[in-house]
Structure formats: structure tokens, C-alpha cells
Amino acid sequence: MRTKPERQAAWLMVLPVVLVVAFSGVVPLMTVVNYSVQDILDVDTRFFVGFDWYRDALRDVRLHEALWRQLVFSFTALAIELPLGILVARCLPRQGRAASLLLVLCAIPLLVPLNVVGTIWQIFARGDIGMLGAAINGLGIDYNYTREPLHAWMTLVAMDVWHWTSLVVLLGFAGLSSIPPAYYQAADLDGAGRWQVFRHVELPHLRAVLLIAVLLRLMDSLMIYTEPFVLTGGGPGNTTTFLSQHLATIAVGQFDLGPAAAFSVIYFLLILLLCWLFHTLVVAGAERDDA
Amino acid sequence: MRSPGLASRLVVAGYSLYLLLPLYWLLAMALKSNRDIVSRLEWIPSSPTLANFAEIFSNPVWLDGFVNSLAYVAINTALSVAVALPAAYAFSRYRFLGDKHLFFWLLTNRMSPPAVFLLPFFQLYSALGLFDTPWAVALAHCLFTVPLAVWILEGFMSGIPRDIDDMARVDGHSLPSFFFRIFLPALRGGIGVTVFFCFMFSWVELLLARTLTGSEAKPIVVVMTRTVSASGLDWGVLAAAGVLTVLPGVVVVWFVRKHLVRGFALGRV
Amino acid sequence: MAWTLPTALFFSAIALVLLVLGVAQRHWPTVARRGFLPLATTRGDRFFISLLTAALIHLGWLAVTDLPVPGASALALFAGAVIMAKG
């Protein structure tokens, strides 16, 4: 592979993007940092308070609980979606009309507006009017996701799996399609079993897309807001209140600018750290593949 | 290539059922009257009716909601692709000062939680007089659609050999002429996939769309949540609106289905 | 944007460092190298890692102790210097 020529004038081509993203990303972020060190009563009455809001936020029990719930939820969802997505991707037919129909079907949940995802699962899972809820109650199990925290959790996870597993399926399918048939033939000649084919032929080819799948799913899952908001409203009690909803409650519900901003900065740093770690892994993996 | 066995077929059938059942239930609800929904549970609507859809199409609030949503999604998609094209070209063809860091910085914007930007967006767009216009939502959504567009387009462009650029230069094409006459047509599939993803992220987002609009530019997703709280839950109309919001996505995915797998093969979404 | 003097100074300082790094890169280009960090880094990478580390040190300090914050800043500066030099 030839190396790319160096040309500083390329900055001119990147400039529009930098300006747009600076306007919609950097300016707001700097504003958040400014808010986070002040007590803001109204636009003209502001006091510098240093790191007080950060200290409060970092020691806020409700934030710890929300963070803990968030991590449990994100890792549970990932632990189901990744293996399931790869399993389905392996089982999909590779070519033909059926393959493209199934792929379109898989893509549909990704294109449903986030609040409609919540609505769909609301009317699907309710005990009185929902197919799922009625069916479970019909089995003699007293299922009610608006009253039982455990049921609420299971419903949320089922919803997230419904919503996002397809992303892993599509990524995995694309990764599997890139494996030359010769690899499979060679494995057949060696008398490799299904598991060995998966382990030694498919998995190495899937590593790159899998890292991306983990990155995207983890990041998107950490910012989940709308779906639980519609489905459970964070309840029963606070048992399904995750980070973004906790933040939105402080920011828009109570309009506490300073504390909300301090929390935002902490939240952003957490995301930045994870994003950097995974990006480094992805880039390192890609460079090893090139070499 | 081995043909899928029975176990594979069962897995695919089971997963398809899992995807389809909630969607089927949404459609079934949309075709029932609210009285039927509340009074008895029917797996298949016994007296299907289009009254819920008629209600939506006759009510200007719903229609305006649709128009508003499509307006900001269209502005956002056009803007994202327009600014991302030259940037992606620069990233895929040249090295320049800070290119890798710039690329990573763009990526972090795609990953940031919208809730973090809620307050400043609200203040910023209010101050600029853009609050409650499609422009506010379109610009706010640029936060994740622009990095996404750069990311996807860069992947597709890197798949186009650089020899094409060199040959065009030898043939006497200037950079703009090469870009529009030769490069963009070769990139059609990539642009299609980019449009698909910009559309997708802008269309499904609720938090920013709700915070940045008032009564004038209220998008369809917000009309839905507000109707729920206001009118004491008309499940049938809600389900019908849900069905209508799913349709544009289905149309878009159908148009790009051939390029979709390649888009995912780059692992950039 | 509700500026305050400390945050203005903070962002100006970062902008200044970025500018210096940019100029330095033109005249004395850095090469990615391996230090004690488990990956090859350029000068810009190490600066980013230092910033992130500094932020985390401050947050950790605020979370566990009531001692004055400049203590955290001193620690962060030291960590940053080590990362820039040896990372």
C-alpha cells in the first residue's frame, strides 16, 4: 500500500466539518464546563463556586446508584446481544432473495424512532392489552412490569435486545461475507467440525467488526434515555433510572444548571475514556491486520 | 459455502418471529378501535378499522408533526453529507497536521450522550433565535450525523483506488471537475448508505428534538408523547401513529438494501 | 456562554498548548515511540493522555478527600510531566 501524500491544504477541505462540529459540539461543551463551576440563579446572577458541584455530584448516592444500574444494564444487554447477534448472523443464508429480505427485516428495528420502540413494547408487554403480557399471565405467572422491578428490568432488556441485536447481526453478517470460500473448503478438507470452523476461520475475521460492535453498542447503551423513559418512566420507584435520565431530571426537570453541568462533565469524561480505550484497540487491531 | 441446516433455519425463524411479533402487535392495535382494545384481547382484529389512521390524517397537529420531522431530517442529512464529502476526501487521500487526532475528536462527538448537551443547546439556540425552528434540531443533530457521515464516507472513499485520481489529473481534470464528474458517481453507493444512517439517527432521536422545539416546529415523535399524556391514552391512534413513523424507515432501507451490507462491512455506523 | 475567569484561562491554556504542539510538529516532527505506556504514542497522543489523566485525578481527589484541590493539580502536573517525558 502506498503511503498517502502529505498536503496541509487538505485542512481547507476539513474546515467546514470542523466549523459545524465546533458549533454543535465544542461551544456547548465549553458552556457546560462554564456552568459547572458556578451557582446560576438567572442569566445575570451567577457566583463562582469552584469545584463544589463536582464534589456534590461525585458523592451523590443517587448518582452512584444510577451509574451502577447503568453498568449492570449495559453489560447485561451486551452479554445477550453479542452472542445472539453472531449466532443469527452465522445462521442467515448468505445469498438470494431470502437473504436480502431477512436483512431488511433485521434493519427495521434500527429505524424505529426511539420513543416508538418504547411504545411498541409498552403495548406489547402490558398485562391488560399486550400480547406478551397476556400470554405470560395466561401461563399463570403474575407478570406486571409497572409494579415489579425485576419484571421491569427483564422487559427493558428484552426491548433492548429486540432493538439492537440486529446491529450486531448486520455487522457480523458483513464480516462473514468477507471470508473467501476457499477458507471454508480448506477447513472441510482438514475435517474441521463446526466449532473449529467458527473458532479458527470465522472468529479471526470477525474480530475487527466485533470490536466496532462492542464500541457502538457500549456507547449507545450508556446514553440510553428515551426507551426506558417511555416504557417504565424510570420506575417502579427509581429502579430503572439510568444516567441520562437522572441527568435530564436534574437539568430539565429541576433546572439546576450548575449540578447538572458538573454531572454532565463527569459523564462526558467517562464516555471519552471508554471511547479512547476502544478506539485505540480498534486502530491497533486494524494496523495489525494491514501488516 | 455450506447450505444452512435445520438448526440454522430454526434460529433464523425464531429470531424473525421475535422481531416481528411486537411489530405485528403494533399493527393489530392500529387496526382496532380503542373500545375493542380495552374491552377484550384479540390476537387477530375481528373488526379491523382504518378509523385511527383517518383520525391522524384529518388532524393538522399530526400532519404538521410529520412535516416538521421530515423538514429537520432533510436539512440535517443534506448539510451533513455536503460538509462531510470534502472532509472525508481529505482524510482518505492526504496526510496533514493532526489528522488522526481530528478524526478521533470527530468520533467522540458521535459517542457523546445528547443529554450532556441539553442545557447549552437550549440556551445557545434560544440566544440565536433558532429555538422552535427545524434549523435548531437539524444543527443539533449534526453533532452525531456529521462525524458519522465523515466516518462512513471515508471508508467508502478509501475503497476507491487512488489511481483514479492520478489518471484524471493526467487527463487534465481539475480537482473540482474530477470530484463531481468522476469521483461522486463512483461513490453513489457510499452516499446512499451515508444518507441512510444520517436519516436514521436524526429520525429516531427524541431528547434533543423535544427540548429544542415548542409549539411551532413540534416533531412527530413529540406529538406522540404529548398526546399520550394529554388525552387519556387513545391506544389505537397511538399505535397508528407508531406504524406511520416506522414506514419512512422501511422505505429508506429498501432503497439502500443492496449497499447496506457493504456499509456494515466497513464497520462504520 | 457564561464565562468565568478561571474557565477562560483554562481553555486559553489548552488552546495555546495545541497551537504550540502544532507549530512544534511542523518544525520538529515527532515519531511515534514506545515508552512505559502499552502503546506507541506521539507527542499529541501523550498530551491527550495527560489531560485525561489530570481530569481523572481531579475527580478522584474530589470524590475521596476534602483536602484542598491544588493538591490534585500538583499530582496531575507531575503525572502529566512523567507521561509527556517517558510515556
Side-chain angles (χ1 to χ4, degrees):
Chain A
M1 198 175 135
R2 289 183 298 163
T3 50
K4 294 183 268 189
E6 184 159 341
R7 188 172 169 199
Q8 302 302 342
W11 260 98
L12 288 177
M13 300 188 210
V14 188
L15 200 60
V17 160
V18 173
L19 289 178
V20 169
V21 179
F23 178 74
S24 61
V26 177
V27 171
L29 194 62
M30 294 198 330
T31 314
V32 170
V33 173
N34 287 341
Y35 286 166
S36 71
V37 294
Q38 300 181 75
D39 193 357
I40 300 174
L41 302 179
D42 62 64
V43 183
D44 299 313
T45 324
R46 307 184 266 119
F47 305 99
F48 182 75
V49 296
F51 289 107
D52 285 3
W53 298 133
Y54 287 92
R55 193 174 278 124
D56 289 355
L58 287 164
R59 297 172 186 193
D60 179 4
V61 178
R62 282 177 312 156
L63 196 158
H64 293 172
E65 287 170 359
L67 175 65
W68 185 239
R69 278 194 290 267
Q70 177 77 68
L71 293 176
V72 173
F73 175 77
S74 293
F75 283 99
T76 312
L78 238 70
I80 299 175
E81 285 161 19
L82 278 179
L84 180 64
I86 292 171
L87 177 70
V88 174
R90 287 198 64 208
C91 294
L92 282 176
R94 294 288 162 75
Q95 280 137 2
R97 192 171 275 275
S100 55
L101 257 177
L102 284 167
L103 288 175
V104 170
L105 173 66
C106 283
I108 289 176
L110 302 174
L111 285 154
V112 179
L114 303 182
N115 65 321
V116 180
V117 172
T119 305
I120 288 177
W121 277 81
Q122 200 181 16
I123 60 180
F124 187 58
R126 275 176 70 112
D128 51 351
I129 59 169
M131 183 190 253
L132 180 71
I136 296 179
N137 282 332
L139 293 174
I141 301 163
D142 186 16
Y143 164 83
N144 186 333
Y145 75 84
T146 54
R147 208 178 50 223
E148 290 289 330
L150 182 67
H151 297 170
W153 267 82
M154 282 161 56
T155 314
L156 274 179
V157 171
M159 176 182 74
D160 202 67
V161 169
W162 179 83
H163 191 185
W164 288 113
T165 304
S166 292
L167 186 72
V168 185
V169 173
L170 291 170
L171 282 167
F173 181 83
L176 288 172
S177 309
S178 71
I179 302 176
Y183 280 67
Y184 285 103
Q185 287 151 11
D188 268 349
L189 285 180
D190 291 346
R194 288 204 132 204
W195 171 251
Q196 283 164 315
V197 171
F198 175 68
R199 175 70 191 76
H200 297 288
V201 178
E202 294 177 337
L203 207 53
H205 274 88
L206 284 176
R207 206 194 46 204
V209 278
L210 278 184
L211 267 175
I212 306 256
V214 174
L215 173 72
L216 289 168
R217 279 311 303 129
L218 188 64
M219 293 302 162
D220 286 345
S221 167
L222 288 176
M223 60 171 100
I224 190 167
Y225 168 80
T226 310
E227 302 94 311
F229 176 76
V230 174
L231 185 64
T232 65
N238 273 335
T239 47
T240 54
T241 300
F242 302 125
L243 283 179
S244 274
Q245 195 176 345
H246 185 62
L247 176 53
T249 312
I250 309 175
V252 183
Q254 305 163 2
F255 225 69
D256 284 337
L257 296 182
F263 178 19
S264 297
V265 174
I266 298 170
Y267 194 3
F268 180 78
L269 283 172
L270 175 76
I271 298 287
L272 187 63
L273 178 69
L274 286 171
C275 184
W276 178 75
L277 285 175
F278 272 96
H279 182 73
T280 308
L281 278 175
V282 171
V283 171
E287 271 164 11
R288 213 174 334 151
D289 286 349
D290 284 347
Chain B
M1 198 79 43
R2 47 192 74 197
S3 65
L6 182 65
S8 297
R9 282 164 199 272
L10 279 178
V11 169
V12 172
Y15 184 68
S16 306
L17 199 66
Y18 179 52
L19 290 186
L20 280 172
L21 274 183
L23 289 171
Y24 164 75
W25 196 241
L26 183 75
L27 186 65
M29 295 281 260
L31 295 173
K32 292 185 212 171
S33 71
N34 203 39
R35 200 158 38 86
D36 283 355
I37 292 173
V38 181
S39 60
R40 57 181 192 272
L41 197 81
E42 294 173 328
W43 302 114
I44 299 164
S46 59
S47 48
T49 163
L50 290 175
N52 296 321
F53 291 98
E55 157 86 25
I56 289 175
F57 283 113
S58 62
N59 186 339
V61 177
W62 288 102
L63 281 182
D64 286 350
F66 256 106
V67 173
N68 290 336
S69 286
L70 288 173
Y72 70 71
V73 171
I75 296 174
N76 170 275
T77 307
L79 191 66
S80 303
V81 174
V83 297
L85 273 172
Y89 185 77
F91 279 119
S92 82
R93 293 302 195 250
Y94 304 114
R95 280 180 302 137
F96 50 94
L97 196 58
D99 49 358
K100 293 206 177 83
H101 297 113
L102 201 60
F103 206 65
F104 172 71
W105 169 67
L106 285 175
L107 188 66
T108 59
N109 286 290
R110 154 73 179 80
M111 304 299 172
S112 318
V116 167
F117 296 94
L118 215 51
L119 281 176
F121 272 157
F122 180 73
Q123 311 276 22
L124 183 67
Y125 292 117
S126 300
L128 292 174
L130 288 175
F131 178 76
D132 204 12
T133 64
W135 287 95
V137 186
L139 283 171
H141 283 175
C142 277
L143 178 66
F144 22 90
T145 56
V146 167
L148 189 72
V150 174
W151 208 25
I152 298 174
L153 285 173
E154 198 269 342
F156 273 94
M157 286 179 184
S158 297
I160 298 176
R162 249 178 293 151
D163 300 333
I164 293 187
D165 305 33
D166 299 340
M167 264 157 25
R169 205 161 302 129
V170 173
D171 288 350
H173 280 279
S174 65
L175 186 60
S177 144
F178 156 74
F179 197 79
F180 287 106
R181 299 236 181 100
I182 300 174
F183 198 65
L184 285 193
L187 195 67
R188 263 202 321 263
I191 295 177
V193 173
T194 312
V195 167
F196 166 78
F197 281 109
C198 289
F199 174 92
M200 163 177 155
F201 278 89
S202 188
W203 178 255
V204 302
E205 206 276 341
L206 172 81
L207 186 57
L208 293 174
R210 191 182 59 177
T211 312
L212 294 177
T213 53
S215 53
E216 282 297 310
K218 201 192 286 178
I220 183 72
V221 286
V222 176
V223 177
M224 279 186 73
T225 54
R226 294 204 179 144
T227 309
V228 176
S229 48
S231 70
L233 287 188
D234 189 333
W235 292 108
V237 174
L238 187 66
V243 171
L244 290 178
T245 60
V246 175
L247 285 181
V250 177
V251 172
V252 173
V253 75
W254 187 254
F255 276 115
V256 298
R257 66 186 186 283
K258 292 216 174 71
H259 303 290
L260 205 56
V261 171
R262 251 207 76 207
F264 277 105
L266 297 164
R268 300 182 169 195
V269 276
Chain C
M1 286 171 71
W3 284 104
T4 64
L5 185 64
T7 50
L9 287 176
F10 172 71
F11 284 118
S12 313
I14 290 187
L16 195 70
V17 175
L18 286 180
L19 201 68
V20 169
L21 282 176
V23 173
Q25 179 64 22
R26 291 271 353 219
H27 295 279
W28 308 277
T30 112
V31 199
R33 63 142 205 251
R34 270 299 280 274
F36 70 86
L37 294 168
L39 69 162
T41 53
T42 61
R43 212 180 296 144
D45 295 334
R46 289 194 291 278
F47 176 63
F48 173 75
I49 297 170
S50 308
L51 271 187
L52 203 54
T53 313
L56 294 177
I57 288 176
H58 278 92
L59 289 184
W61 187 280
L62 288 167
V64 297
T65 159
D66 283 324
L67 294 171
V69 179
S73 308
L75 197 61
L77 266 179
F78 174 72
V82 171
I83 292 172
M84 287 305 280
K86 306 263 177 182

